[in-house]
Amino acid sequence: MTKIETLLTQVGTRTDEKTGAINTPIYLSTAYRHAGLGESTGYDYTRTKNPTRTVLEDEFAKLEFGDDCFACSSGMAAVHLVLSLFKSGDTILYPEDLYGGTYRLATQYETQYGIRAIFNDFSDFDVLEKQIMTEKPQALLIETPTNPLMQEIPIEKCAELAKKYDLLLIVDNTFLTPYYQRPIELGAHIVIHSGTKYIGGHNDVLAGLVVSKGAELGEKLFKQHNAIGMTLSPFDSWLLLRGLKTLHLRMKQHTLNAKEMVAFLENSPLVKDVLYAGLGGMVSFRLQSGAMIAPFLKNLQLIAFAESLGGVESFITYPTTQTHADIPEHIRIERGVDDALLRFSVGIEEAEDLLADLQQVFKTLENEVLIND
Ligand SMILES: *Cc1c(COP(=O)(O)O)cnc(C)c1O
């Protein structure tokens, strides 16, 4: 079997029979001419289907070991597309530690449409199974590792429960990407991505992807994707194709750099603890006190204080006021997203330079502490 590195590099290179173009052409046409009644090329209107988006969707479905893929205008649009499969009275179980936007949408849909959202601890599977027996959910929607606490949820164990209780298993695979983790292979039915993050990889495109297994799910999602119309533009589809070509190289470098950051942070006296899943570029850490956050962020030079992840450039995010600001304070703190927590999306710069930036910030903080004393 061709290796994933090769599949990624060659994404979309043999799709234009007419010219042999190495890159997928960007089809900006929204409409398509029919030769006669009942004679469609397969393309009628770009909301429904667009040739550039089709290449992305076909290639990405293969990378995630799914049957169908639906490219959406954002990661949240992808989450929404999946939630649109449910109806009033249905129940979805989520892990407590979850992307803030997904938490916001899930709770909003509970009040607005009666799709129940229950947030669970996914570390104890006996407790989880009891919860499934009492709440009788239709689906589990998980992220692993979780955001921002980097806890690993075993997909295989969730798949066993999903099978036993006939549940849909939905996995947000944004953090590890198909390069490191392929949930459908492990028993998931649907995979969600924010393509804005590692898939695009350059902090220049907002996108989402939904991959499904089986014809029935594919047909339902296709209908909703077209009916709601949150489809990805041809140009943005092309940007994701371009991003995919270097995904493996970027992911390897993100991991190498993240490991160096973890080693450094773990040995820094100003850091209370470090959370890392062992793969990928996402690292969270707590400073000794919440009071250190403002000067820490102020003094960053190379690393940007910014709200996103998965790009080539390093970002540090403050979940309390950024990604997780919509979670009520007491719930947020109870779940471990406290005022001293920072989330580091380690980029692919030279690790030495990233370390130098962290070192100079810590030095400034130490001096300030000394002066204040
Ligand atoms: C960013 C993110 C989303 C939402 O994606 P957008 O492209 O910002 O709409 C969903 N899930 C996870 C895990 C994310 O990191």
Side-chain angles (χ1 to χ4, degrees), residues 82-94:
V82 173
L83 293 186
S84 79
L85 296 174
F86 298 90
K87 58 182 190 312
S88 179
D90 284 351
T91 300
I92 304 174
L93 291 193
Y94 300 86

Side-chain angles (χ1 to χ4, degrees), residues 73-79 98-102 143 145 147 172-175 192-197 205-208 308-309 323 343:
S73 51
S74 71
M76 286 320 302
V79 175
L98 190 69
Y99 177 68
T102 305
E143 290 170 11
N147 178 7
D172 183 328
N173 200 25
T174 299
F175 273 29
I192 298 175
H193 275 274
S194 168
T196 313
K197 313 297 168 55
V205 56
L206 191 74
S308 191
L309 65 101
T323 50
R343 195 188 69 188

Side-chain angles (χ1 to χ4, degrees), residues 171-237:
V171 180
D172 183 328
N173 200 25
T174 299
F175 273 29
L176 286 186
T177 82
Y179 182 63
Y180 283 134
Q181 173 170 274
R182 290 179 289 278
I184 288 176
E185 230 184 350
L186 305 173
H189 305 98
I190 295 179
V191 170
I192 298 175
H193 275 274
S194 168
T196 313
K197 313 297 168 55
Y198 289 106
I199 306 298
H202 295 73
N203 294 316
D204 56 9
V205 56
L206 191 74
L209 296 151
V210 174
V211 179
S212 61
K213 182 81 189 160
E216 196 187 325
L217 266 181
E219 276 159 31
K220 280 188 192 164
L221 286 165
F222 175 76
K223 254 192 185 163
Q224 294 295 74
H225 192 227
N226 178 49
I228 302 168
M230 76 284 261
T231 52
L232 192 61
S233 79
F235 185 70
D236 290 346
S237 299

